[in-house]
Amino acid sequence: MSSFGPKLPLTRDSADGFSSLKMIQDTIRQNLKMIILTNPGEKVMDTNYGVGIKRFLFSSKYNLTQAQIEQSIKDQVKFYMPAVIIRKIDFRVQQEQNTLSLAIFYDIPDIGTKDLIQIVL
């Protein structure tokens, strides 16, 4: 069966050898997650790729940082995934558990889909 690419993290699959992404929505969701989690300079041959969300975790200026994160995500998606339109980004900080949660609502107009990705750090 055809696929759009490997599913990350790599896992064995008896049908294809490795688990594959068979739907375009899953591929876009995975690519969006990779943009957010990759640090700038980490991708070989493209030092501008990535938001590097983890570098913002210990920033002391939350409001400024939230605006920086949101702008960085929008800029990266606009450049690397122009078929995706970010509608809304929700931030939740849980001081007790030392976690940052992101909920990114986005549209894929070319295929008429709305989706959501949630990342907890």
Side-chain angles (χ1 to χ4, degrees):
M1 183 172 191
S2 65
S3 66
F4 290 101
K7 183 177 181 181
L8 298 175
L10 292 175
T11 54
R12 287 287 204 184
D13 181 354
S14 60
D16 297 325
F18 289 100
S19 297
S20 301
L21 296 168
K22 306 222 184 307
M23 295 179 57
I24 190 69
Q25 294 93 331
D26 295 334
T27 304
I28 289 172
R29 189 178 306 113
Q30 178 174 287
N31 290 344
L32 183 57
K33 182 178 178 182
M34 290 302 110
I35 284 176
I36 292 166
L37 295 177
T38 302
N39 290 317
E42 189 175 1
K43 185 174 181 181
V44 177
M45 303 297 287
D46 191 349
T47 58
N48 295 319
Y49 180 89
V51 172
I53 191 75
K54 289 182 182 179
R55 66 191 168 126
F56 292 102
L57 281 178
F58 298 104
S59 179
S60 60
K61 298 179 181 176
Y62 175 69
N63 289 333
L64 178 61
T65 303
Q66 182 175 333
Q68 288 175 326
I69 293 170
E70 190 167 344
Q71 191 59 51
S72 183
I73 290 170
K74 288 179 179 180
D75 291 346
Q76 289 284 313
V77 169
K78 185 176 180 179
F79 187 80
Y80 291 103
M81 300 179 71
V84 174
I85 298 171
I86 302 290
R87 276 188 288 128
K88 181 179 174 186
I89 302 174
D90 283 339
F91 294 86
R92 289 212 167 66
V93 175
Q94 295 175 328
Q95 301 267 340
E96 307 81 44
Q97 289 90 17
N98 292 324
T99 60
L100 168 66
S101 301
L102 291 175
I104 302 171
F105 299 86
Y106 60 95
D107 297 337
I108 312 164
D110 292 345
I111 60 173
T113 301
K114 295 177 187 267
D115 206 350
L116 159 71
I117 184 172
Q118 294 180 308
I119 298 174
V120 179
L121 301 166

